[in-house]
Amino acid sequence: MPFNGGTKSFMAPAPGFPTTRMRRNRRTDWSRRLVAENRLSVDDLIWPVFVHSGDEARIPVPSMPGVVRHSVDAVVDAVGEAAALGIPMIAVFPVVDPSLKDDGGSNAVDPDNVVCRTVRAIKTAGIDIGVMCDAALDPFTSHGHDGLLHGDEILNDETLEVLVQQSLVQAAAGCDVISPSDMMDGRIGAIRAALDEAGHRQVQIMAYAAKYASGFYGPFRDAVGSASTLGKGSKSTYQMDPANGDEALREVALDLAEGADMVMVKPGMPYLDILHRVKTTFAVPTFVYQVSGEYAMLRGAAERGWIDGDRVMMESLLAFRRAGADGVLTYFAIEAAQRLKAG
Ligand code: PBG
């Protein structure tokens, strides 16, 4: 039987067609704009930048078309452009000269390493933008792991001591936000305590709280040069199992209890369910990382003309907002900001 029985009735019509026509609100541009539930703004974008210590201004990353490794000089210009577009924050990732890599990742705690020099250069230039730096050892270690390696084991507590020192040199260089991406237990508490004791009470922490052992990091490892050092090594003893969801909530709860100001889920698109659960469970500033492999997939398909690159870029970023992200780390940040500005 049709919903209304096709007859006049004083009874409330059964909900549904033809009384309810979902397409009515979608008919015109003004109406679609009016009923839109989520928006992407330039204020939601965090731009990850790669910096190397050489002189060459820009070295392309083959597996990430459109992404380059900047020299310190060149990155200051690029970050200036990001600030002019209104992007609130960048994230610095170093490409460390192989001659400086060792078992202990000692270059990570050198106040003159490429990360610290980059932060100082950006701050000296007076650019009004947040600067975030990773706490993790993988760009600096000869084995490509995020922590200290003993036999086959990644040592947790010993690694914390290095991460604390790394965070302190970065904060001293002027970094605004420390983002531990290593997934060691207890790192947020250790870093918070050390920052406070050193007088860096205002330095924020964005925890890579739920970071999965993912195949989607491949192009990033090419970019920073840890793909070759890591080889067939696996990060599954510290990064999360893609099978797990509840565990992500425990990770987030711990990082918040230890003092994280903001939390992050990573990767992005295959983990929208995790992002949504984190945001609805904790209602704290929640971020998501659209990682290198996601970027490479979208870019690669767009370059071949298989998908509309601009369109899927904006759609993917909006989807993160809908799932609960307050902001997105994305290699598309500059292009997305330009698109948003153009209207
Ligand atoms: C390392 C780190 C990784 C990324 C950010 N920090 C790679 C990894 O964990 O192996 C990945 C980012 C990306 O793929 O875009 N601590």
Side-chain angles (χ1 to χ4, degrees):
M1 207 179 90
F3 278 113
N4 277 347
T7 58
K8 279 188 187 160
S9 160
F10 293 107
M11 304 269 289
F17 182 80
T19 310
T20 303
R21 289 179 179 268
M22 297 300 286
R23 292 180 54 192
R24 246 183 237 126
N25 286 342
R26 296 178 200 140
R27 255 185 72 238
T28 54
D29 175 65
W30 65 261
S31 180
R32 288 190 294 272
R33 284 188 282 125
L34 188 67
V35 301
E37 297 172 42
N38 293 285
R39 289 265 178 255
L40 178 72
S41 139
V42 67
D43 297 329
D44 306 320
L45 302 172
I46 301 171
W47 187 35
V49 294
F50 297 111
V51 193
H52 71 95
S53 52
D55 294 331
E56 207 169 327
R58 277 169 282 274
I59 306 173
V61 181
S63 52
M64 301 176 74
V67 172
V68 299
R69 309 170 181 102
H70 300 86
S71 66
V72 176
D73 286 347
V75 86
V76 174
D77 294 341
V79 171
E81 188 195 345
L85 284 164
I87 292 174
M89 184 161 79
I90 57 138
V92 180
F93 292 103
V95 184
V96 178
D97 193 285
S99 69
L100 295 174
K101 297 190 186 192
D102 56 29
D103 276 6
S106 63
N107 186 243
V109 304
D110 181 341
D112 279 321
N113 68 19
V114 68
V115 174
C116 295
R117 279 190 282 128
T118 298
V119 177
R120 279 196 296 270
I122 293 168
K123 293 296 174 184
T124 305
I127 302 171
D128 185 15
I129 198 164
V131 177
M132 181 160 88
C133 297
D134 242 44
L137 303 183
D138 52 308
F140 302 96
T141 51
S142 46
H143 45 70
H145 277 294
D146 294 35
L148 302 176
L149 187 64
H150 182 72
D152 302 336
E153 199 192 339
I154 303 298
L155 302 174
N156 193 88
D157 300 13
E158 292 79 354
T159 298
L160 293 189
E161 291 173 29
V162 189
L163 296 174
V164 161
Q165 294 310 316
Q166 181 182 25
S167 302
L168 289 174
V169 297
Q170 291 175 163
C175 161
D176 301 292
V177 181
I178 301 286
S179 55
S181 72
D182 53 285
M183 291 299 280
M184 297 301 124
D185 288 324
R187 75 240 202 263
I188 304 299
I191 292 169
R192 182 73 270 159
L195 288 173
D196 288 353
E197 195 177 332
H200 299 299
R201 267 177 225 100
Q202 304 305 338
V203 171
Q204 293 151 264
I205 298 181
M206 180 186 288
Y208 283 71
K211 175 172 177 179
Y212 286 84
S214 171
F216 287 97
Y217 307 148
F220 174 96
R221 293 178 189 170
D222 292 339
V224 301
S226 66
S228 50
T229 47
L230 187 62
K232 292 213 180 324
S234 151
K235 300 194 178 185
S236 304
T237 67
Y238 43 107
Q239 299 179 346
M240 282 183 58
D241 184 342
N244 298 348
D246 292 346
E247 189 185 337
L249 302 185
R250 288 186 76 194
E251 284 282 5
V252 171
L254 283 167
D255 285 358
L256 290 171
E258 290 177 31
D261 301 289
M262 304 173 260
V263 297
M264 189 209 297
V265 172
K266 179 185 176 189
M269 225 144 66
Y271 296 86
L272 289 181
D273 58 324
I274 306 299
L275 172 61
H276 187 253
R277 289 178 73 185
V278 168
K279 185 60 179 180
T280 51
T281 304
F282 297 99
V284 297
T286 303
F287 294 81
V288 65
Y289 200 143
Q290 182 177 49
V291 300
S292 56
E294 299 175 64
Y295 174 87
M297 287 195 303
L298 298 178
R299 246 294 130 79
E303 280 196 342
R304 283 160 186 75
W306 294 341
I307 55 176
D308 177 338
D310 262 15
R311 187 171 168 185
V312 297
M313 166 177 80
M314 299 312 277
E315 182 179 338
S316 64
L317 296 172
L318 181 61
F320 292 128
R321 297 279 295 140
R322 191 197 61 239
D326 295 296
V328 188
L329 288 97
T330 175
Y331 302 98
F332 288 121
I334 294 282
E335 282 170 85
Q338 286 166 340
R339 266 291 296 256
L340 289 165
K341 201 171 177 183

